[in-house]
Amino acid sequence: MTERFVLWFDDRLGTAHFMKHALRKAFPDHWSFMLGEINLYSFLVLLATGTFLAFNFDPAPTKVVYHGPYALLDGVTMSTAYASALHLSFAVNAGLLIRQIHHWAALLFVAGIVVHMARVFFTGAFRKPRELNWLVGVVLFLLAMGEGFTGYSLPDDLLSGIGLRIADSVLLAIPFVGTWASFLLLGGAFPNSNDIGPRLFAAHVFAVPAAIAAVIGVHLAILWRQKHSQFRGPRRTEHNVVGSPLMPNYAAKSIALGFATIAVLVALGAFVQINPIWIFGPYDASLAASPAQPDWYVGWLDGALRISFPWSIHLWGHTIPSPFFPGVLLPLVLFGLLFGWPFIERAITGDRASHQLLDRPRDVPWRTGAGVALFMLALDLTLAGSGDVQARYLHLSVDTINVVYRFGFVVAPILGFIVAFALASELRRRGGVSAAERVRLRRNERGGFDEEKIT
């Protein structure tokens, strides 16, 4: 019966040849090639948990008086969105668990993208013919950040409202088009627009996930067409791929990784609290939570805003306010570098050849140094985004903390480049790190031990 069913399809679609080729496709065995699959499984968890949350959440801005199970907010006036998030957390079966799994999956999704991009960067996997997939990856990174931010802003609690207010301020700082952009995205002046919640909801539930799914599809299609790159090793050349076939070897590893990813996310959702919105209370424009930090992937933007100087420029009758420089110009420069890096490196090296074999980070010290410099810059800004927490525990003023990170903004990338460049150059000169000699210890007649080499 099954054979007849399969043959019926093959007679009409001619899929047998494609399936035979696909199931024998080779995948490299190195663990780092599976980092991207963590992102894929996290995205699937996001879709599943997000669907559950969407059925139980109302983004309406209408004001209501809360009389739910969380007694500390009983009688408090709040938006329907915030009351809905509280109801979902305390009155819907498994609601809080699903909410927390969803939030952890969002953090892991973005983290996985960053780590995957780092692997691609440091090994030179973005070089010809994979420049296009690098660009797709950067777009996916931007979409993931946007998806996370829109979801984070939906509950309309005090913390998310502050984040939305900062984002609106950055939008308004864009010369000429800032006001229009703010009205387009928020539907009116913040925070009084009644369209903010519904627009964020539509973007978070429909528009951005659809865009992410499309970009992932393009990414996988290009990957399938171009084949995997691979590290240097026996029998590996610029024209082949040495590894395990899709079926059954790689599929078994991938499915196991998928179950492990889901298990970790469920465990985090069950045992590690995240984003307890009931503690912050409903958003009130006259209040501000302190200390307060956003999710990690926008921490660098928050940190840049915190340590920037209150400088504005007046040009041709227009004012460019201070949030423009850390909130708009800096991200444009950094993401411009990410988008353009394959072409920048090609211009510097003159290398226009296609590459199937990957570099080790030590093989190209200046590229490794540049990557570490960018990492150090992002780390400095991210840490600056939690300056108020550090000031509290170190008993220092926030201004003092900001001065330290302003210094780090300049010095940390330079030091990172110098140290990484020196280490990579030295490792390249030595031909890598020599494996430690393996020995076996044997007790001798004097009561001590003699070393016996293991070959």
Side-chain angles (χ1 to χ4, degrees):
M1 180 69 182
T2 304
E3 184 179 358
R4 289 178 60 189
F5 183 71
V6 171
L7 288 174
W8 187 88
F9 266 99
D10 186 50
D11 285 342
R12 286 151 182 81
L13 301 177
T15 55
H17 177 74
F18 171 77
M19 290 300 296
K20 181 180 178 181
H21 177 75
L23 295 178
R24 298 301 300 169
K25 183 176 176 62
F27 285 76
D29 291 322
H30 197 275
W31 60 269
S32 65
F33 286 90
M34 303 198 77
L35 290 172
E37 307 208 13
I38 295 176
N39 311 334
L40 182 61
Y41 291 122
S42 298
F43 183 62
L44 295 179
V45 172
L46 283 170
L47 291 180
T49 54
T51 302
F52 176 89
L53 297 176
F55 280 128
N56 292 279
F57 178 73
D58 183 352
T62 314
K63 295 297 182 185
V64 296
V65 177
Y66 181 72
H67 291 297
Y70 190 66
L72 292 178
L73 290 176
D74 186 54
V76 174
T77 301
M78 59 184 65
S79 67
T80 300
Y82 186 63
S84 175
L86 291 176
H87 176 77
L88 201 159
S89 300
F90 294 114
V92 175
N93 288 337
L96 181 58
L97 174 64
I98 300 297
R99 235 196 87 222
Q100 297 211 140
I101 293 174
H102 189 74
H103 203 132
W104 278 115
L107 298 183
L108 183 63
F109 180 54
V110 187
I113 292 174
V114 171
V115 175
H116 184 57
M117 288 182 67
R119 197 277 293 171
V120 171
F121 179 88
F122 285 112
T123 59
F126 54 80
R127 293 173 297 172
K128 185 181 178 182
R130 297 181 176 80
E131 304 98 321
L132 184 59
N133 231 1
W134 170 262
L135 299 180
V136 170
V138 179
V139 171
L140 182 60
F141 181 33
L142 281 169
L143 287 172
M145 289 177 61
E147 176 70 350
F149 182 76
T150 52
Y152 176 82
S153 303
L154 277 176
D156 196 32
D157 59 287
L158 182 57
L159 193 60
S160 69
I162 293 171
L164 202 54
R165 183 170 64 191
I166 294 171
D168 185 52
S169 299
V170 171
L171 276 176
L172 291 170
I174 302 174
F176 307 112
V177 298
T179 304
W180 299 99
S182 173
F183 268 67
L184 176 65
L185 295 177
L186 302 182
F190 181 83
N192 296 321
S193 170
N194 290 329
D195 292 337
I196 296 175
R199 290 195 181 199
L200 287 173
F201 186 77
H204 183 71
V205 175
F206 301 111
V208 184
I212 289 176
V215 171
I216 290 176
V218 171
H219 180 75
L220 294 177
I222 295 174
L223 177 67
W224 193 272
R225 174 65 180 167
Q226 295 183 334
K227 298 183 292 187
H228 275 89
S229 54
Q230 59 187 343
F231 287 104
R232 298 174 190 277
R235 299 186 292 112
R236 297 171 188 174
T237 71
E238 293 282 7
H239 306 288
N240 68 358
V241 180
V242 177
S244 302
L246 174 60
M247 288 294 290
N249 307 50
Y250 192 82
K253 289 192 289 186
S254 180
I255 291 171
L257 179 62
F259 280 120
T261 303
I262 294 170
V264 169
L265 290 174
V266 171
L268 286 170
F271 299 114
V272 185
Q273 186 183 73
I274 188 167
N275 197 23
I277 56 169
W278 52 90
I279 291 177
F280 309 128
Y283 178 66
D284 183 335
S286 65
L287 301 176
S290 179
Q293 284 74 50
D295 283 340
W296 73 268
Y297 49 85
V298 289
W300 64 278
L301 274 171
D302 191 26
L305 289 164
R306 293 189 189 203
I307 67 173
S308 65
F309 293 99
W311 294 339
S312 58
I313 297 177
H314 301 276
L315 290 174
W316 304 295
H318 294 276
T319 299
I320 302 177
S322 57
F324 171 78
F325 303 102
V328 180
L329 185 60
L330 179 65
L332 281 177
V333 171
L334 294 179
F335 276 96
L337 280 173
L338 285 178
F339 274 114
W341 186 262
F343 313 102
I344 294 171
E345 180 167 320
R346 187 172 65 183
I348 293 173
T349 62
D351 181 3
R352 298 179 183 277
S354 294
H355 293 278
Q356 187 71 19
L357 296 175
L358 299 174
D359 292 329
R360 300 182 188 88
R362 67 172 183 266
D363 293 335
V364 188
W366 69 271
R367 181 205 294 151
T368 301
V372 172
L374 181 61
F375 170 78
M376 293 301 292
L377 179 68
L379 179 64
D380 179 83
L381 293 177
T382 302
L383 291 175
S386 62
D388 52 347
V389 177
Q390 297 165 50
R392 181 178 184 178
Y393 288 104
L394 296 176
H395 304 290
L396 297 171
S397 70
V398 173
D399 287 340
T400 302
I401 297 290
N402 286 343
V403 169
V404 172
Y405 287 115
R406 283 171 185 154
F407 181 75
F409 180 80
V410 177
V411 174
I414 297 173
L415 278 180
F417 180 87
I418 293 172
V419 172
F421 182 84
L423 286 175
S425 298
E426 180 63 17
L427 285 172
R428 185 174 65 170
R429 187 184 66 79
R430 294 185 179 187
V433 178
S434 301
E437 189 177 64
R438 299 181 64 204
V439 296
R440 181 184 294 114
L441 297 179
R442 287 191 181 278
R443 184 176 289 276
N444 56 35
E445 65 278 6
R446 300 183 300 276
F449 292 93
D450 292 329
E451 291 185 356
E452 178 183 294
K453 290 184 181 179
I454 300 176
T455 58

